[in-house]
Amino acid sequence: MTQGLLEGKVALVAGVANKRSIAWAIARALHDAGATLAFTYQGERLEDSVRTLAASVGSETVIPCDVSDDGSIDAAFGRLGEEIGGIDAMVHSIAFAPAETFEGRFTDTSRAAFHTALDVSSYSMIAMARAAEPLMAARGGGAMVTLTYMASERAFPKYNVMAVAKAALECSVRYLAYELGPAKIRVNAISAGPVRTLAAKGIPGFDQMESVIEQRSPLQRNIEAADVGNAALYLCSPLGSMVTGTTLYVDSGYHAMGM
Ligand code: NAP
């Protein structure tokens, strides 16, 4: 159905930890549409598993990039430029907050935890967009997609400081879209419903989030990572050519409900 949609296009996917990662579902959707893929991963611990997954979609471009370190971002995008020239799409599927922030009270969020959560989960999108800009300009434009969660807009018990990070991320998307639009670079966020991933394991009450979606969302069932992959494909492909600065909900319609 989507075959050939991204033929001749190159996409960078950041945030694959394992086969359950949302980034991996996106990578597969982009690959199925014909894109050539490059991957970044955080540290040595993940290198082997990311390389194995990358090989399964015909990619050998697997580069370390710790988004909390400007030097690491510069080195990664420098290598990308050397190895593949330009990119047409970038997927930012990265977030982190210290475990204790999900357990305690939001009111008790420390300055250090706030800094870490916003640095890794929000500022990283700005830093990566800046680094990707010349690589997309080299291709005459491109599309960037990041992942967010509706706790940015309404209080979700225990999501705590990560919710603030997602609010900053969504706001950053609007400003990036505004500034990069003239260069034909589109920037969007996908607000995904709960998906069982490594990161999701750290969120207390995750099971409850899933059962609320089943009970109260219009579609009355939980999403799968592949649903996010399809939405990312739409945003990265010509199908989404006039869509920028927006948050697209892939959440069984739950965001539309009042109760
Ligand atoms: P995941 O598989 O654990 O992916 C999170 C990724 O972020 C991992 O690859 C992780 O690498 C990476 N990361 C963390 N710190 C990093 C750093 N300093 N530098 C580079 N990479 C770093 O979990 P996921 O659920 O797919 O999460 C992907 C995105 O979707 C996140 O933004 C998340 O908030 C968002 N999201 C998830 C859900 C859900 O229900 N799962 C719902 C809505 C939105 P390490 O494993 O090495 O830390």
Side-chain angles (χ1 to χ4, degrees), residues 14-18 20-24 40-43 45-46 50 65-69 92-96 120-121 124 146-150 159 162 166 169 190-201 203 206 209 223:
V16 174
N18 56 42
R20 290 181 195 278
S21 295
I22 290 174
W24 178 239
T40 60
Y41 62 94
Q42 179 178 195
R45 187 173 49 85
L46 287 181
V50 179
C65 181
D66 177 347
V67 298
S68 64
D69 175 354
H92 169 281
S93 187
I94 289 172
F96 176 78
V120 176
S121 316
S124 62
T146 186
L147 272 299
T148 187
Y149 185 55
M150 202 180 53
Y159 206 77
M162 182 59 84
K166 292 303 191 191
L169 178 68
I190 295 174
S191 184
V195 178
R196 284 178 182 265
T197 63
L198 199 60
K201 273 192 187 161
I203 302 170
F206 186 83
M209 286 180 184
I223 70 156

Side-chain angles (χ1 to χ4, degrees), residues 103-127:
E103 284 146 19
R105 298 194 315 156
F106 175 72
T107 311
D108 295 329
T109 305
S110 69
R111 194 180 297 274
F114 186 94
H115 178 94
T116 301
L118 271 90
D119 185 23
V120 176
S121 316
S122 323
Y123 180 74
S124 62
M125 178 62 184
I126 303 171

Side-chain angles (χ1 to χ4, degrees), residues 11-69:
L12 167 66
V13 179
V16 174
N18 56 42
K19 66 177 180 2
R20 290 181 195 278
S21 295
I22 290 174
W24 178 239
I26 295 174
R28 290 185 55 142
L30 302 185
H31 168 73
D32 289 348
T36 298
L37 300 179
F39 294 87
T40 60
Y41 62 94
Q42 179 178 195
E44 271 174 33
R45 187 173 49 85
L46 287 181
E47 180 172 1
D48 287 349
S49 54
V50 179
R51 271 195 192 285
T52 305
L53 288 171
S56 73
V57 290
S59 172
E60 286 179 3
T61 312
V62 180
I63 298 173
C65 181
D66 177 347
V67 298
S68 64
D69 175 354

